[in-house]
Amino acid sequence: MELQEIMRQRVFAVVGNTLDSDKYAYKIKQGMIEKGYTVYAVGKELPSLNDVPEEIDIIDLCIHPAKGLELMRECSKSFKCIVLQPGAESAELTAYLEEKGMPYINGCLLVGMRLFT
């Protein structure tokens, strides 16, 4: 899935510190809400992706790769794609996603909002 197609989806789970206005997860969450997306915040607000009360289109990881790997290992929700924000990727995380057949891209939703919304 390319970034443009990701931005056409409607339900996002943003994983990271969505309560601190200095953090990218916060900026992404706020920007997406302002543009009319449905956004669930995981990490500081919801403890797990499994706590999202509806189907997830896109999981956006804005979190340390080790924590992202932990959350993806426990995730039982279906989704279309994962976005690994800069700094959220690691060899171990991408190897796990590939092994499990979980689709992902390295990208930035802030760029996606700027280019495609």
Side-chain angles (χ1 to χ4, degrees), residues 7-112:
M7 298 313 298
R8 287 194 294 259
Q9 306 304 308
R10 300 309 319 153
V11 180
F12 287 73
V14 177
V15 182
N17 187 343
T18 54
L19 299 176
D20 182 342
S21 62
D22 291 332
K23 300 292 185 178
Y24 283 108
Y26 174 91
K27 294 172 185 177
I28 290 166
K29 174 190 157 193
Q30 292 305 120
M32 296 194 82
I33 289 170
E34 289 170 12
K35 292 192 179 280
Y37 291 94
T38 299
V39 181
Y40 293 95
V42 177
K44 296 288 184 180
E45 297 178 59
L46 294 173
S48 168
L49 289 161
N50 298 325
D51 294 317
V52 174
E54 65 179 297
E55 291 302 311
I56 301 168
D57 291 323
I58 304 297
I59 296 170
D60 183 45
L61 295 181
C62 304
I63 198 165
H64 189 279
K67 183 66 175 167
L69 178 58
E70 178 184 325
L71 286 169
M72 293 315 303
R73 282 186 170 144
E74 72 178 28
C75 180
S76 61
K77 301 282 283 188
S78 63
F79 56 89
K80 295 177 182 172
C81 192
I82 301 165
V83 176
L84 300 176
Q85 294 285 144
E89 73 279 2
S90 72
E92 186 179 12
L93 175 57
T94 56
Y96 176 80
L97 298 177
E98 289 171 7
E99 174 189 324
K100 297 297 180 184
M102 296 178 173
Y104 71 92
I105 67 163
N106 291 306
C108 179
L109 293 186
L110 290 173
V111 171

